[in-house]
Amino acid sequence: MAERPHSGPTVENRWWVDMDARKERPKTPRPPVGSKFFDIGYEFDQDEARQRLTDCNLKFLDQAKPAPDQWQLVRMVPSESVPTSQLDRIKRRVPLPPGARGVIVDSGRSVRFIITGDPVGERVLEFTLGEESSFDCWIRGEWVREELFRDLEDALRKARGHVRRYLGG
């Protein structure tokens, strides 16, 4: 029987397939499905990532120096930004409690609303709002809450309750 010519790419010429079985593999157990494709994130230190994010939020608060009861805007991408009308709408839905301070980090396609009370940095709330919206909260540097939302409207509906719960007001 004659062999049919192969029309598509072979496993050997796909960059994401690791054919070298001789490579030493990590001794820590890991999920078998898709593990070769996701090696980049393997053994990623989640605690260190959370700490860096907390530090990053504190740096934004320190850089922007918002006054009590005020939002301060930081634009990360000068050539692209969220429309001012959209930021104003979000500010109305993510309230600052009396005496709290906020930084809006505009990344062009999404925004982060970082809120802290007094003393600055003791409690830090972060709402990431855009295509993938989420909420994170730190109290005295300890990560205490994370929530992923279905969409931006779901996040905005729940924002007031999170602010009230973690900062009062």
Side-chain angles (χ1 to χ4, degrees), residues 52-62 112 114 124-126 138:
R52 285 183 181 167
L53 190 55
T54 304
D55 291 346
C56 182
N57 287 338
L58 293 174
K59 287 178 183 175
F60 277 123
L61 287 163
D62 186 53
R112 287 173 37 208
I114 303 167
V124 177
L125 283 61
E126 177 197 329
W138 292 265

Side-chain angles (χ1 to χ4, degrees), residues 13 47 51 67 76 92 143:
N13 66 7
D47 291 329
Q51 182 62 41
M76 300 299 292
R92 287 191 299 273
W143 186 55

Side-chain angles (χ1 to χ4, degrees), residues 5-145:
H6 187 65
S7 60
T10 63
V11 169
E12 292 83 15
N13 66 7
R14 293 184 182 165
W15 64 267
W16 63 87
V17 176
D18 182 3
M19 297 298 294
D20 189 358
R22 298 171 300 182
K23 284 185 180 176
E24 186 176 322
R25 299 288 179 212
K27 298 190 187 337
T28 312
R30 68 180 191 196
V33 178
S35 60
K36 290 181 183 180
F37 185 78
F38 292 103
D39 270 348
I40 292 171
Y42 180 64
E43 291 187 348
F44 184 73
D45 187 342
Q46 293 291 325
D47 291 329
E48 184 176 334
R50 272 190 232 104
Q51 182 62 41
R52 285 183 181 167
L53 190 55
T54 304
D55 291 346
C56 182
N57 287 338
L58 293 174
K59 287 178 183 175
F60 277 123
L61 287 163
D62 186 53
Q63 173 192 345
K65 296 187 185 343
D69 304 314
Q70 297 292 314
W71 289 103
Q72 194 69 1
L73 178 64
V74 175
R75 293 196 193 278
M76 300 299 292
V77 184
S79 62
E80 186 177 0
S81 63
V82 174
T84 302
S85 61
Q86 178 79 347
L87 293 177
D88 290 341
R89 182 177 86 88
I90 294 171
K91 281 195 291 189
R92 287 191 299 273
R93 305 271 308 268
V94 182
L96 279 178
R101 306 154 193 263
V103 175
I104 302 168
V105 181
D106 181 348
S107 299
R109 295 178 188 253
S110 67
V111 290
R112 287 173 37 208
F113 276 59
I114 303 167
I115 305 171
T116 189
D118 192 32
V120 172
E122 182 173 297
R123 291 176 178 256
V124 177
L125 283 61
E126 177 197 329
F127 293 91
T128 301
L129 304 168
E131 289 179 17
E132 294 182 9
S133 297
S134 63
F135 168 73
D136 290 281
C137 178
W138 292 265
I139 298 176
R140 290 181 285 288
E142 184 179 333
W143 186 55
V144 297
R145 174 74 188 243

